[in-house]
mmCIF file of all heavy atoms in Angstrom:
data_model
loop_
_atom_site.group_PDB
_atom_site.id
_atom_site.type_symbol
_atom_site.label_atom_id
_atom_site.label_comp_id
_atom_site.label_asym_id
_atom_site.label_seq_id
_atom_site.Cartn_x
_atom_site.Cartn_y
_atom_site.Cartn_z
ATOM 1 N N LEU A 274 56.812 29.779 -60.972
ATOM 2 C CA LEU A 274 57.909 29.237 -60.190
ATOM 3 C C LEU A 274 57.523 29.002 -58.741
ATOM 4 O O LEU A 274 57.889 27.997 -58.132
ATOM 5 C CB LEU A 274 59.115 30.176 -60.258
ATOM 6 C CG LEU A 274 59.819 30.250 -61.606
ATOM 7 C CD1 LEU A 274 60.908 31.311 -61.593
ATOM 8 C CD2 LEU A 274 60.384 28.908 -61.973
ATOM 9 N N PHE A 275 56.762 29.944 -58.159
ATOM 10 C CA PHE A 275 56.339 29.814 -56.778
ATOM 11 C C PHE A 275 55.434 28.606 -56.575
ATOM 12 O O PHE A 275 55.629 27.790 -55.661
ATOM 13 C CB PHE A 275 55.641 31.096 -56.318
ATOM 14 C CG PHE A 275 55.152 31.060 -54.895
ATOM 15 C CD1 PHE A 275 56.052 31.102 -53.850
ATOM 16 C CD2 PHE A 275 53.799 30.945 -54.613
ATOM 17 C CE1 PHE A 275 55.610 31.056 -52.545
ATOM 18 C CE2 PHE A 275 53.345 30.897 -53.313
ATOM 19 C CZ PHE A 275 54.266 30.951 -52.264
ATOM 20 N N LEU A 276 54.427 28.450 -57.444
ATOM 21 C CA LEU A 276 53.502 27.337 -57.316
ATOM 22 C C LEU A 276 54.171 26.007 -57.651
ATOM 23 O O LEU A 276 53.834 24.975 -57.039
ATOM 24 C CB LEU A 276 52.256 27.565 -58.153
ATOM 25 C CG LEU A 276 51.353 28.685 -57.664
ATOM 26 C CD1 LEU A 276 50.189 28.874 -58.608
ATOM 27 C CD2 LEU A 276 50.880 28.418 -56.263
ATOM 28 N N SER A 277 55.118 25.999 -58.568
ATOM 29 C CA SER A 277 55.856 24.776 -58.839
ATOM 30 C C SER A 277 56.725 24.380 -57.655
ATOM 31 O O SER A 277 56.852 23.203 -57.311
ATOM 32 C CB SER A 277 56.714 24.944 -60.088
ATOM 33 O OG SER A 277 55.907 25.152 -61.209
ATOM 34 N N GLY A 278 57.314 25.387 -56.995
ATOM 35 C CA GLY A 278 58.078 25.126 -55.762
ATOM 36 C C GLY A 278 57.206 24.570 -54.653
ATOM 37 O O GLY A 278 57.580 23.646 -53.939
ATOM 38 N N LEU A 279 55.999 25.130 -54.500
ATOM 39 C CA LEU A 279 55.075 24.601 -53.516
ATOM 40 C C LEU A 279 54.674 23.168 -53.845
ATOM 41 O O LEU A 279 54.504 22.332 -52.949
ATOM 42 C CB LEU A 279 53.809 25.469 -53.435
ATOM 43 C CG LEU A 279 53.922 26.789 -52.689
ATOM 44 C CD1 LEU A 279 52.592 27.524 -52.776
ATOM 45 C CD2 LEU A 279 54.286 26.568 -51.250
ATOM 46 N N ASN A 280 54.530 22.868 -55.116
ATOM 47 C CA ASN A 280 54.187 21.525 -55.551
ATOM 48 C C ASN A 280 55.298 20.542 -55.184
ATOM 49 O O ASN A 280 55.028 19.429 -54.719
ATOM 50 C CB ASN A 280 53.941 21.527 -57.046
ATOM 51 C CG ASN A 280 53.439 20.211 -57.559
ATOM 52 O OD1 ASN A 280 52.733 19.492 -56.859
ATOM 53 N ND2 ASN A 280 53.790 19.894 -58.777
ATOM 54 N N ILE A 281 56.543 20.925 -55.379
ATOM 55 C CA ILE A 281 57.668 20.061 -55.034
ATOM 56 C C ILE A 281 57.751 19.845 -53.532
ATOM 57 O O ILE A 281 57.960 18.721 -53.058
ATOM 58 C CB ILE A 281 58.983 20.657 -55.598
ATOM 59 C CG1 ILE A 281 58.953 20.605 -57.121
ATOM 60 C CG2 ILE A 281 60.190 19.910 -55.064
ATOM 61 C CD1 ILE A 281 60.074 21.369 -57.796
ATOM 62 N N VAL A 282 57.506 20.901 -52.763
ATOM 63 C CA VAL A 282 57.507 20.771 -51.288
ATOM 64 C C VAL A 282 56.391 19.828 -50.854
ATOM 65 O O VAL A 282 56.578 18.990 -49.964
ATOM 66 C CB VAL A 282 57.379 22.166 -50.641
ATOM 67 C CG1 VAL A 282 57.099 22.043 -49.162
ATOM 68 C CG2 VAL A 282 58.655 22.970 -50.871
ATOM 69 N N LEU A 283 55.210 19.960 -51.465
ATOM 70 C CA LEU A 283 54.104 19.058 -51.135
ATOM 71 C C LEU A 283 54.438 17.624 -51.470
ATOM 72 O O LEU A 283 54.092 16.695 -50.711
ATOM 73 C CB LEU A 283 52.821 19.498 -51.861
ATOM 74 C CG LEU A 283 51.589 18.631 -51.667
ATOM 75 C CD1 LEU A 283 51.159 18.652 -50.205
ATOM 76 C CD2 LEU A 283 50.454 19.080 -52.559
ATOM 77 N N TYR A 284 55.128 17.395 -52.578
ATOM 78 C CA TYR A 284 55.513 16.026 -52.947
ATOM 79 C C TYR A 284 56.425 15.425 -51.862
ATOM 80 O O TYR A 284 56.211 14.291 -51.446
ATOM 81 C CB TYR A 284 56.223 15.986 -54.299
ATOM 82 C CG TYR A 284 56.578 14.584 -54.704
ATOM 83 C CD1 TYR A 284 55.656 13.774 -55.333
ATOM 84 C CD2 TYR A 284 57.857 14.060 -54.448
ATOM 85 C CE1 TYR A 284 55.968 12.480 -55.676
ATOM 86 C CE2 TYR A 284 58.176 12.764 -54.791
ATOM 87 C CZ TYR A 284 57.230 11.973 -55.401
ATOM 88 O OH TYR A 284 57.547 10.690 -55.724
ATOM 89 N N PHE A 285 57.414 16.179 -51.424
ATOM 90 C CA PHE A 285 58.318 15.649 -50.399
ATOM 91 C C PHE A 285 57.630 15.491 -49.054
ATOM 92 O O PHE A 285 57.916 14.548 -48.327
ATOM 93 C CB PHE A 285 59.573 16.513 -50.294
ATOM 94 C CG PHE A 285 60.521 16.331 -51.453
ATOM 95 C CD1 PHE A 285 60.819 17.381 -52.289
ATOM 96 C CD2 PHE A 285 61.079 15.108 -51.715
ATOM 97 C CE1 PHE A 285 61.683 17.222 -53.360
ATOM 98 C CE2 PHE A 285 61.948 14.923 -52.788
ATOM 99 C CZ PHE A 285 62.242 15.978 -53.601
ATOM 100 N N ALA A 286 56.687 16.371 -48.737
ATOM 101 C CA ALA A 286 55.924 16.221 -47.496
ATOM 102 C C ALA A 286 55.073 14.944 -47.550
ATOM 103 O O ALA A 286 54.986 14.194 -46.577
ATOM 104 C CB ALA A 286 55.051 17.444 -47.246
ATOM 105 N N LEU A 287 54.444 14.705 -48.693
ATOM 106 C CA LEU A 287 53.642 13.488 -48.840
ATOM 107 C C LEU A 287 54.538 12.246 -48.885
ATOM 108 O O LEU A 287 54.108 11.159 -48.477
ATOM 109 C CB LEU A 287 52.760 13.563 -50.089
ATOM 110 C CG LEU A 287 51.573 14.495 -49.999
ATOM 111 C CD1 LEU A 287 50.831 14.561 -51.315
ATOM 112 C CD2 LEU A 287 50.637 14.087 -48.888
ATOM 113 N N ALA A 288 55.759 12.368 -49.374
ATOM 114 C CA ALA A 288 56.693 11.232 -49.345
ATOM 115 C C ALA A 288 57.062 10.859 -47.923
ATOM 116 O O ALA A 288 57.185 9.679 -47.582
ATOM 117 C CB ALA A 288 57.937 11.561 -50.141
ATOM 118 N N ILE A 289 57.184 11.873 -47.066
ATOM 119 C CA ILE A 289 57.478 11.603 -45.649
ATOM 120 C C ILE A 289 56.276 10.932 -44.999
ATOM 121 O O ILE A 289 56.411 9.965 -44.238
ATOM 122 C CB ILE A 289 57.867 12.903 -44.927
ATOM 123 C CG1 ILE A 289 59.216 13.397 -45.450
ATOM 124 C CG2 ILE A 289 57.918 12.700 -43.425
ATOM 125 C CD1 ILE A 289 59.593 14.780 -44.997
ATOM 126 N N VAL A 290 55.078 11.419 -45.303
ATOM 127 C CA VAL A 290 53.866 10.793 -44.779
ATOM 128 C C VAL A 290 53.760 9.358 -45.298
ATOM 129 O O VAL A 290 53.340 8.453 -44.570
ATOM 130 C CB VAL A 290 52.621 11.622 -45.177
ATOM 131 C CG1 VAL A 290 51.331 10.891 -44.843
ATOM 132 C CG2 VAL A 290 52.645 12.972 -44.498
ATOM 133 N N ASP A 291 54.161 9.137 -46.538
ATOM 134 C CA ASP A 291 54.133 7.812 -47.133
ATOM 135 C C ASP A 291 55.027 6.840 -46.364
ATOM 136 O O ASP A 291 54.633 5.701 -46.090
ATOM 137 C CB ASP A 291 54.582 7.898 -48.585
ATOM 138 C CG ASP A 291 54.793 6.546 -49.240
ATOM 139 O OD1 ASP A 291 53.975 5.639 -48.975
ATOM 140 O OD2 ASP A 291 55.738 6.409 -50.020
ATOM 141 N N VAL A 292 56.207 7.279 -45.996
ATOM 142 C CA VAL A 292 57.135 6.424 -45.245
ATOM 143 C C VAL A 292 56.550 6.052 -43.900
ATOM 144 O O VAL A 292 56.580 4.887 -43.468
ATOM 145 C CB VAL A 292 58.514 7.112 -45.092
ATOM 146 C CG1 VAL A 292 59.381 6.357 -44.132
ATOM 147 C CG2 VAL A 292 59.185 7.257 -46.448
ATOM 148 N N PHE A 293 55.967 7.031 -43.189
ATOM 149 C CA PHE A 293 55.355 6.741 -41.921
ATOM 150 C C PHE A 293 54.142 5.845 -42.054
ATOM 151 O O PHE A 293 53.919 4.946 -41.223
ATOM 152 C CB PHE A 293 54.989 8.039 -41.183
ATOM 153 C CG PHE A 293 56.164 8.719 -40.571
ATOM 154 C CD1 PHE A 293 56.552 9.962 -41.015
ATOM 155 C CD2 PHE A 293 56.846 8.146 -39.515
ATOM 156 C CE1 PHE A 293 57.643 10.612 -40.440
ATOM 157 C CE2 PHE A 293 57.930 8.762 -38.932
ATOM 158 C CZ PHE A 293 58.325 9.999 -39.405
ATOM 159 N N ALA A 294 53.340 6.037 -43.099
ATOM 160 C CA ALA A 294 52.165 5.188 -43.301
ATOM 161 C C ALA A 294 52.570 3.742 -43.612
ATOM 162 O O ALA A 294 51.952 2.800 -43.102
ATOM 163 C CB ALA A 294 51.318 5.755 -44.430
ATOM 164 N N GLU A 295 53.614 3.583 -44.429
ATOM 165 C CA GLU A 295 54.078 2.230 -44.730
ATOM 166 C C GLU A 295 54.608 1.556 -43.477
ATOM 167 O O GLU A 295 54.353 0.365 -43.263
ATOM 168 C CB GLU A 295 55.172 2.278 -45.791
ATOM 169 C CG GLU A 295 54.673 2.581 -47.162
ATOM 170 C CD GLU A 295 55.796 2.719 -48.175
ATOM 171 O OE1 GLU A 295 56.933 2.292 -47.864
ATOM 172 O OE2 GLU A 295 55.526 3.270 -49.248
ATOM 173 N N PHE A 296 55.321 2.285 -42.651
ATOM 174 C CA PHE A 296 55.832 1.694 -41.417
ATOM 175 C C PHE A 296 54.694 1.349 -40.477
ATOM 176 O O PHE A 296 54.713 0.304 -39.813
ATOM 177 C CB PHE A 296 56.815 2.635 -40.736
ATOM 178 C CG PHE A 296 57.397 2.070 -39.472
ATOM 179 C CD1 PHE A 296 58.363 1.073 -39.526
ATOM 180 C CD2 PHE A 296 56.980 2.511 -38.243
ATOM 181 C CE1 PHE A 296 58.889 0.523 -38.369
ATOM 182 C CE2 PHE A 296 57.500 1.976 -37.063
ATOM 183 C CZ PHE A 296 58.461 0.995 -37.152
ATOM 184 N N LEU A 297 53.666 2.210 -40.420
ATOM 185 C CA LEU A 297 52.551 1.968 -39.523
ATOM 186 C C LEU A 297 51.756 0.740 -39.943
ATOM 187 O O LEU A 297 51.368 -0.085 -39.087
ATOM 188 C CB LEU A 297 51.626 3.200 -39.505
ATOM 189 C CG LEU A 297 50.383 3.102 -38.652
ATOM 190 C CD1 LEU A 297 50.751 3.092 -37.173
ATOM 191 C CD2 LEU A 297 49.459 4.276 -38.928
ATOM 192 N N PHE A 298 51.512 0.592 -41.247
ATOM 193 C CA PHE A 298 50.676 -0.499 -41.719
ATOM 194 C C PHE A 298 51.426 -1.787 -41.959
ATOM 195 O O PHE A 298 50.901 -2.875 -41.727
ATOM 196 C CB PHE A 298 49.922 -0.113 -42.979
ATOM 197 C CG PHE A 298 48.857 0.924 -42.747
ATOM 198 C CD1 PHE A 298 48.948 2.171 -43.331
ATOM 199 C CD2 PHE A 298 47.783 0.644 -41.918
ATOM 200 C CE1 PHE A 298 47.972 3.124 -43.116
ATOM 201 C CE2 PHE A 298 46.802 1.585 -41.682
ATOM 202 C CZ PHE A 298 46.901 2.835 -42.290
ATOM 203 N N PHE A 299 52.659 -1.713 -42.449
ATOM 204 C CA PHE A 299 53.368 -2.912 -42.862
ATOM 205 C C PHE A 299 54.600 -3.221 -42.003
ATOM 206 O O PHE A 299 55.180 -4.301 -42.153
ATOM 207 C CB PHE A 299 53.804 -2.793 -44.326
ATOM 208 C CG PHE A 299 52.664 -2.475 -45.241
ATOM 209 C CD1 PHE A 299 52.651 -1.307 -45.980
ATOM 210 C CD2 PHE A 299 51.619 -3.355 -45.373
ATOM 211 C CE1 PHE A 299 51.608 -1.008 -46.821
ATOM 212 C CE2 PHE A 299 50.553 -3.073 -46.207
ATOM 213 C CZ PHE A 299 50.559 -1.900 -46.937
ATOM 214 N N GLY A 300 55.003 -2.316 -41.179
ATOM 215 C CA GLY A 300 56.195 -2.541 -40.376
ATOM 216 C C GLY A 300 57.458 -2.379 -41.209
ATOM 217 O O GLY A 300 57.426 -1.867 -42.324
ATOM 218 N N SER A 301 58.559 -2.793 -40.636
ATOM 219 C CA SER A 301 59.821 -2.681 -41.372
ATOM 220 C C SER A 301 60.273 -4.072 -41.765
ATOM 221 O O SER A 301 59.805 -5.077 -41.245
ATOM 222 C CB SER A 301 60.878 -1.989 -40.520
ATOM 223 O OG SER A 301 61.164 -2.798 -39.399
ATOM 224 N N GLY A 302 61.206 -4.106 -42.675
ATOM 225 C CA GLY A 302 61.751 -5.396 -43.081
ATOM 226 C C GLY A 302 61.550 -5.649 -44.555
ATOM 227 O O GLY A 302 61.106 -4.821 -45.326
ATOM 228 N N LYS A 303 61.905 -6.879 -44.928
ATOM 229 C CA LYS A 303 61.849 -7.255 -46.343
ATOM 230 C C LYS A 303 60.426 -7.305 -46.900
ATOM 231 O O LYS A 303 60.204 -6.981 -48.058
ATOM 232 C CB LYS A 303 62.505 -8.634 -46.459
ATOM 233 C CG LYS A 303 63.183 -8.941 -47.718
ATOM 234 C CD LYS A 303 64.321 -8.005 -48.022
ATOM 235 C CE LYS A 303 65.230 -8.617 -49.034
ATOM 236 N NZ LYS A 303 65.913 -7.663 -49.827
ATOM 237 N N SER A 304 59.472 -7.662 -46.078
ATOM 238 C CA SER A 304 58.110 -7.807 -46.596
ATOM 239 C C SER A 304 57.467 -6.445 -46.916
ATOM 240 O O SER A 304 56.568 -6.364 -47.746
ATOM 241 C CB SER A 304 57.228 -8.530 -45.575
ATOM 242 O OG SER A 304 57.122 -7.778 -44.385
ATOM 243 N N SER A 305 57.926 -5.366 -46.283
ATOM 244 C CA SER A 305 57.326 -4.059 -46.538
ATOM 245 C C SER A 305 57.859 -3.414 -47.825
ATOM 246 O O SER A 305 57.265 -2.469 -48.314
ATOM 247 C CB SER A 305 57.570 -3.124 -45.356
ATOM 248 O OG SER A 305 58.943 -2.828 -45.229
ATOM 249 N N GLU A 306 58.957 -3.932 -48.353
ATOM 250 C CA GLU A 306 59.525 -3.342 -49.568
ATOM 251 C C GLU A 306 58.640 -3.504 -50.797
ATOM 252 O O GLU A 306 58.597 -2.652 -51.665
ATOM 253 C CB GLU A 306 60.900 -3.956 -49.867
ATOM 254 C CG GLU A 306 61.975 -3.506 -48.890
ATOM 255 C CD GLU A 306 63.311 -4.140 -49.183
ATOM 256 O OE1 GLU A 306 63.439 -4.853 -50.212
ATOM 257 O OE2 GLU A 306 64.218 -3.956 -48.381
ATOM 258 N N LYS A 307 57.867 -4.576 -50.843
ATOM 259 C CA LYS A 307 57.004 -4.801 -52.008
ATOM 260 C C LYS A 307 55.809 -3.855 -52.014
ATOM 261 O O LYS A 307 55.181 -3.662 -53.045
ATOM 262 C CB LYS A 307 56.550 -6.250 -52.102
ATOM 263 C CG LYS A 307 55.753 -6.723 -50.914
ATOM 264 C CD LYS A 307 55.436 -8.198 -51.068
ATOM 265 C CE LYS A 307 54.789 -8.709 -49.802
ATOM 266 N NZ LYS A 307 54.517 -10.122 -49.869
ATOM 267 N N TYR A 308 55.482 -3.265 -50.890
ATOM 268 C CA TYR A 308 54.367 -2.328 -50.814
ATOM 269 C C TYR A 308 54.785 -0.862 -50.979
ATOM 270 O O TYR A 308 53.928 0.006 -51.059
ATOM 271 C CB TYR A 308 53.619 -2.478 -49.492
ATOM 272 C CG TYR A 308 53.045 -3.859 -49.290
ATOM 273 C CD1 TYR A 308 53.547 -4.685 -48.299
ATOM 274 C CD2 TYR A 308 52.018 -4.321 -50.093
ATOM 275 C CE1 TYR A 308 53.017 -5.960 -48.107
ATOM 276 C CE2 TYR A 308 51.489 -5.588 -49.913
ATOM 277 C CZ TYR A 308 51.988 -6.390 -48.918
ATOM 278 O OH TYR A 308 51.464 -7.633 -48.729
ATOM 279 N N SER A 309 56.068 -0.603 -51.029
ATOM 280 C CA SER A 309 56.521 0.788 -51.105
ATOM 281 C C SER A 309 56.115 1.434 -52.428
ATOM 282 O O SER A 309 55.793 2.628 -52.455
ATOM 283 C CB SER A 309 58.032 0.884 -50.899
ATOM 284 O OG SER A 309 58.709 0.232 -51.949
ATOM 285 N N PHE A 310 56.104 0.676 -53.528
ATOM 286 C CA PHE A 310 55.668 1.228 -54.804
ATOM 287 C C PHE A 310 54.227 1.670 -54.729
ATOM 288 O O PHE A 310 53.861 2.753 -55.207
ATOM 289 C CB PHE A 310 55.859 0.196 -55.918
ATOM 290 C CG PHE A 310 55.189 0.595 -57.208
ATOM 291 C CD1 PHE A 310 55.767 1.538 -58.027
ATOM 292 C CD2 PHE A 310 53.959 0.038 -57.573
ATOM 293 C CE1 PHE A 310 55.160 1.913 -59.208
ATOM 294 C CE2 PHE A 310 53.358 0.408 -58.746
ATOM 295 C CZ PHE A 310 53.946 1.349 -59.577
ATOM 296 N N TRP A 311 53.366 0.830 -54.162
ATOM 297 C CA TRP A 311 51.933 1.150 -54.128
ATOM 298 C C TRP A 311 51.656 2.320 -53.211
ATOM 299 O O TRP A 311 50.766 3.146 -53.480
ATOM 300 C CB TRP A 311 51.151 -0.082 -53.696
ATOM 301 C CG TRP A 311 51.274 -1.174 -54.706
ATOM 302 C CD1 TRP A 311 51.988 -2.328 -54.568
ATOM 303 C CD2 TRP A 311 50.759 -1.197 -56.019
ATOM 304 N NE1 TRP A 311 51.918 -3.061 -55.714
ATOM 305 C CE2 TRP A 311 51.166 -2.391 -56.625
ATOM 306 C CE3 TRP A 311 49.992 -0.288 -56.770
ATOM 307 C CZ2 TRP A 311 50.817 -2.714 -57.931
ATOM 308 C CZ3 TRP A 311 49.632 -0.646 -58.055
ATOM 309 C CH2 TRP A 311 50.031 -1.834 -58.614
ATOM 310 N N GLY A 312 52.385 2.427 -52.115
ATOM 311 C CA GLY A 312 52.227 3.584 -51.235
ATOM 312 C C GLY A 312 52.644 4.877 -51.910
ATOM 313 O O GLY A 312 51.953 5.909 -51.838
ATOM 314 N N SER A 313 53.765 4.835 -52.601
ATOM 315 C CA SER A 313 54.241 6.028 -53.330
ATOM 316 C C SER A 313 53.273 6.391 -54.454
ATOM 317 O O SER A 313 52.989 7.573 -54.671
ATOM 318 C CB SER A 313 55.622 5.778 -53.917
ATOM 319 O OG SER A 313 56.555 5.539 -52.890
ATOM 320 N N LEU A 314 52.771 5.383 -55.145
ATOM 321 C CA LEU A 314 51.801 5.644 -56.215
ATOM 322 C C LEU A 314 50.528 6.257 -55.678
ATOM 323 O O LEU A 314 49.975 7.194 -56.249
ATOM 324 C CB LEU A 314 51.494 4.356 -56.961
ATOM 325 C CG LEU A 314 50.511 4.459 -58.108
ATOM 326 C CD1 LEU A 314 51.116 5.303 -59.234
ATOM 327 C CD2 LEU A 314 50.141 3.089 -58.628
ATOM 328 N N PHE A 315 50.061 5.765 -54.515
ATOM 329 C CA PHE A 315 48.856 6.312 -53.903
ATOM 330 C C PHE A 315 49.025 7.780 -53.583
ATOM 331 O O PHE A 315 48.151 8.606 -53.878
ATOM 332 C CB PHE A 315 48.486 5.517 -52.641
ATOM 333 C CG PHE A 315 47.406 6.148 -51.835
ATOM 334 C CD1 PHE A 315 46.074 6.081 -52.267
ATOM 335 C CD2 PHE A 315 47.688 6.840 -50.679
ATOM 336 C CE1 PHE A 315 45.072 6.667 -51.536
ATOM 337 C CE2 PHE A 315 46.693 7.436 -49.933
ATOM 338 C CZ PHE A 315 45.372 7.337 -50.369
ATOM 339 N N PHE A 316 50.119 8.136 -52.955
ATOM 340 C CA PHE A 316 50.332 9.525 -52.556
ATOM 341 C C PHE A 316 50.609 10.437 -53.760
ATOM 342 O O PHE A 316 50.257 11.608 -53.731
ATOM 343 C CB PHE A 316 51.420 9.629 -51.504
ATOM 344 C CG PHE A 316 50.940 9.251 -50.142
ATOM 345 C CD1 PHE A 316 51.263 8.028 -49.587
ATOM 346 C CD2 PHE A 316 50.137 10.102 -49.417
ATOM 347 C CE1 PHE A 316 50.810 7.663 -48.351
ATOM 348 C CE2 PHE A 316 49.674 9.763 -48.166
ATOM 349 C CZ PHE A 316 50.015 8.526 -47.617
ATOM 350 N N ALA A 317 51.226 9.907 -54.806
ATOM 351 C CA ALA A 317 51.392 10.705 -56.040
ATOM 352 C C ALA A 317 50.043 10.961 -56.703
ATOM 353 O O ALA A 317 49.758 12.085 -57.140
ATOM 354 C CB ALA A 317 52.341 9.992 -56.996
ATOM 355 N N LEU A 318 49.190 9.941 -56.733
ATOM 356 C CA LEU A 318 47.853 10.125 -57.301
ATOM 357 C C LEU A 318 47.012 11.059 -56.431
ATOM 358 O O LEU A 318 46.233 11.872 -56.934
ATOM 359 C CB LEU A 318 47.146 8.788 -57.452
ATOM 360 C CG LEU A 318 47.690 7.873 -58.554
ATOM 361 C CD1 LEU A 318 46.981 6.531 -58.550
ATOM 362 C CD2 LEU A 318 47.557 8.557 -59.902
ATOM 363 N N LEU A 319 47.212 10.975 -55.126
ATOM 364 C CA LEU A 319 46.512 11.898 -54.219
ATOM 365 C C LEU A 319 46.935 13.339 -54.497
ATOM 366 O O LEU A 319 46.090 14.242 -54.530
ATOM 367 C CB LEU A 319 46.820 11.537 -52.755
ATOM 368 C CG LEU A 319 46.228 12.428 -51.705
ATOM 369 C CD1 LEU A 319 44.707 12.283 -51.674
ATOM 370 C CD2 LEU A 319 46.813 12.118 -50.348
#
């Protein structure tokens, strides 16, 4: 339970990093929405 909880916390921490990375590289707006899947997939695979 403890390690699964740490895993969930790490997922949400990487999701926050993912949002900042997408904003840094692609900016905001309609064009950045198509890259959100790939950013999330990258951090999940990481």
Side-chain angles (χ1 to χ4, degrees):
L274 290 175
F275 179 72
L276 291 178
S277 297
L279 283 178
N280 186 32
I281 293 170
V282 169
L283 178 63
Y284 182 84
F285 286 118
L287 287 176
I289 292 170
V290 171
D291 172 40
V292 170
F293 283 115
E295 287 176 16
F296 181 75
L297 178 69
F298 290 117
F299 305 118
S301 64
K303 210 61 161 152
S304 64
S305 67
E306 289 179 6
K307 60 183 173 183
Y308 299 113
S309 65
F310 169 77
W311 296 108
S313 298
L314 180 66
F315 171 76
F316 282 103
L318 289 176
L319 178 68

